[in-house]
Amino acid sequence: MQLKTILNRVQKFKSFVYKLVRWVGNEAAPELEVEVAERANGKPVCSGCGHHRPGYDRLAKRRFEFVPLWGIKVFLVYAPRRVECPSCGIRVEQMPWAMGKRPLTRAYGWFLASWARRLSWKETAEVFRTSWESVFRSVEMAVEWGRAHQDLSGVQAIGIDEIAWKKGHKYLTLVYRKRQTISPIAFF
């Protein structure tokens, strides 16, 4: 099974295809680069309004860090198109794997954020040979997503308490909530 087949099964993008896969780097720090190309006759999507628009030109190739395989760094390589949008002006196209101008893919961001729950951010960065800031930005993305999708309906009150933990002045903060519950009590 080829790497392109695996990528198409786990991270398929509707308007893009995986092309060439090549080894780069050295034996001490091996890397894989996977070229990404747009499908034939596919129009780019404006990153401002999300509509299909005509292409304007191309920027230089960029590398987006993807989830590593067997400890080998994987990068998606793509030359983004610029879009000529009547409402937004000239913009870089929307790339479904990218998080704005960040050099990480969304999949890798979620991967790092999930590991940062188990390990310290420094350890996560060391294990996956990335920067502490990449881990920080990944956790920040996950927290922003969580805040945008939280449901506080039915919460009547919250409580905050601190409890002592270990010796000395070490405390844990406990936050709890009380939800409104409607119990089916019948009065006769």
Side-chain angles (χ1 to χ4, degrees):
M1 184 177 290
Q2 292 185 346
L3 180 59
K4 289 193 296 186
T5 306
I6 295 170
L7 288 171
N8 276 318
R9 294 237 176 131
V10 297
Q11 194 72 51
K12 188 170 184 154
F13 302 114
K14 183 179 178 183
S15 300
F16 299 90
V17 294
Y18 297 110
K19 291 282 187 181
L20 181 67
V21 178
R22 66 179 167 271
W23 283 99
V24 293
N26 54 31
E27 286 185 26
E31 297 176 351
L32 287 170
E33 282 188 345
V34 181
E35 280 192 28
V36 179
E38 66 277 355
R39 289 193 185 277
N41 299 325
K43 280 189 173 181
V45 175
C46 175
S47 59
C49 62
H51 289 93
H52 290 277
R53 301 292 185 203
Y56 180 72
D57 65 357
R58 283 197 179 274
L59 298 174
K61 285 185 178 181
R62 289 180 53 195
R63 287 173 26 131
F64 300 90
E65 196 169 355
F66 192 70
V67 179
L69 295 171
W70 304 287
I72 301 168
K73 284 189 164 200
V74 177
F75 292 91
L76 301 183
V77 180
Y78 180 67
R81 298 172 286 183
R82 290 198 304 169
V83 177
E84 190 170 6
C85 182
S87 57
C88 303
I90 296 175
R91 293 237 175 171
V92 175
E93 74 176 307
Q94 182 180 18
M95 294 167 280
W97 61 84
M99 298 188 300
K101 294 182 179 183
R102 296 181 187 168
L104 302 178
T105 60
R106 288 183 196 278
Y108 192 45
W110 284 108
F111 179 82
L112 287 175
S114 68
W115 275 102
R117 291 177 60 192
R118 294 173 179 86
L119 302 172
S120 72
W121 294 2
K122 181 182 175 192
E123 287 175 313
T124 303
E126 288 171 357
V127 167
F128 296 108
R129 296 186 300 133
T130 190
S131 67
W132 181 90
E133 185 176 345
S134 294
V135 177
F136 170 76
R137 297 282 178 223
S138 299
V139 171
E140 184 180 50
M141 171 207 59
V143 169
E144 286 174 6
W145 184 90
R147 284 186 173 167
H149 292 89
Q150 69 183 357
D151 179 22
L152 298 177
S153 62
V155 174
Q156 288 181 316
I158 62 169
I160 301 175
D161 194 6
E162 283 188 341
I163 56 173
W165 179 61
K166 292 191 175 184
K167 290 185 178 182
H169 293 284
K170 301 220 187 259
Y171 300 97
L172 291 175
T173 303
L174 175 65
V175 179
Y176 54 93
R177 63 181 178 205
K178 179 182 176 189
R179 287 194 176 263
Q180 179 182 7
T181 58
I182 302 171
S183 55
I185 300 175
F187 295 98
F188 294 102

